[in-house]
Amino acid sequence: MATPSTARVISKQMLIPNVVGVDFAMVEPPQINYNAGQYVILHTTGPNGNVVKRSYSISSPPAAAGFSLCVKIVGDASQYIADLKPGDPVKFSGPWGMGKFTFPEKTENEIVMIATGTGLSPIYSLLSGNLSAHPDKRFLFLWGLKKESDIFYTKELEDLAQKYLNFAFRIVLSEAGSAWTGKRGMLSDVFAAEIGDLGGKEYFLAGNGNMINIVEHELITRGISPDRIHKEI
């Protein structure tokens, strides 16, 4: 088995109460080579000192010096990540997933990205890593969350939308409060209406498995070829 790589924490931020963003700098080897959409397997430590390995999508665009993660706190492994401090070392393997959720060499000219929750992580990596390289393509990101308090990364998405005129995003809330003026409903119920004509597009789906299954089934039923649908559950 290959020796795990080592990185250290350079910054950490609680994005919302149950989602943490962590930036890592490479230690050994001194550089990392990854494509947008790939993931790493972090070697975390459980409450009994045992090693717990968990896969996390990289949220940053490709950079040799390090990578970032955006993690929902749901168990021991993610709590370990949330408890890390600047300077702390971590072991990991990867990157993995080349060809699974990475940007194909040839795609349709309209790219639709659909995610729930921290499914944003690989989507943001794909967007920030590919928008400048494909000014001729149109990108639309639909992001499903429950409530206003679940929203994060708005500045990052707004910055992309201002910088790249070929990119737009819409947030859809399933349990929005009365003051919410944006899109409402379950993402799996409203995505088709938000997109319009489903044909001639490339699809990237990330996040909740049930959402992905429903959307994928609907796309295939509407005649979208499976090789135009990329999934990261």
Side-chain angles (χ1 to χ4, degrees):
M1 183 176 293
T3 303
S5 301
T6 305
R8 63 179 176 84
V9 178
I10 55 174
S11 65
K12 184 186 77 172
Q13 179 183 9
M14 294 305 300
L15 302 172
I16 54 175
N18 65 340
V19 175
V20 61
V22 188
D23 300 320
F24 298 91
M26 292 301 299
V27 175
E28 183 58 41
Q31 293 187 335
I32 184 173
N33 181 26
Y34 63 92
N35 284 32
Q38 289 191 278
Y39 65 92
V40 294
I41 298 178
L42 224 61
H43 299 193
T44 69
T45 303
N48 299 322
N50 56 310
V51 175
V52 180
K53 299 180 181 181
R54 291 289 185 270
S55 300
Y56 295 103
S57 294
I58 297 171
S59 60
S60 50
F67 60 94
S68 300
L69 301 179
C70 177
V71 177
K72 183 176 182 179
I73 304 169
V74 292
D76 292 337
S78 53
Q79 187 61 57
Y80 168 87
I81 297 170
D83 291 339
L84 290 170
K85 302 177 183 64
D88 284 348
V90 295
K91 298 289 187 181
F92 72 93
S93 62
W96 306 105
M98 186 61 188
K100 180 176 182 290
F101 202 67
T102 53
F103 209 74
E105 183 177 346
K106 293 183 178 181
T107 67
E108 299 287 355
N109 286 328
E110 293 189 52
I111 312 298
V112 178
M113 298 178 170
I114 302 173
T116 55
T118 49
L120 165 82
S121 188
I123 296 294
Y124 186 77
S125 180
L126 284 168
L127 287 169
S128 54
N130 286 285
L131 277 169
S132 63
H134 300 280
D136 56 323
K137 298 183 186 295
R138 292 176 57 195
F139 291 76
L140 172 64
F141 174 38
L142 302 178
W143 188 20
L145 299 163
K146 284 188 177 181
K147 302 176 180 179
E148 292 93 328
S149 58
D150 295 323
I151 300 173
F152 56 97
Y153 257 53
T154 48
K155 183 181 185 304
E156 290 83 350
L157 291 171
E158 287 168 354
D159 286 347
L160 288 181
Q162 289 180 4
K163 186 175 182 179
Y164 301 103
L165 299 181
N166 58 330
F167 168 64
F169 74 96
R170 300 169 197 163
I171 297 174
V172 182
L173 299 185
S174 60
E175 299 177 12
S178 58
W180 176 251
T181 58
K183 306 295 180 180
R184 295 171 178 263
M186 293 294 294
L187 185 58
S188 54
D189 293 334
V190 305
F191 81 95
E194 292 299 317
I195 296 167
D197 182 5
L198 300 181
K201 297 175 176 63
E202 198 96 8
Y203 292 89
F204 291 81
L205 317 178
N208 179 273
N210 186 53
M211 179 278 291
I212 289 175
N213 290 336
I214 293 173
V215 172
E216 180 185 28
H217 180 265
E218 180 71 12
L219 290 173
I220 292 174
T221 300
R222 300 276 197 99
I224 306 303
S225 174
D227 66 2
R228 294 300 182 207
I229 305 171
H230 314 275
K231 301 175 292 181
E232 181 64 276
I233 298 176

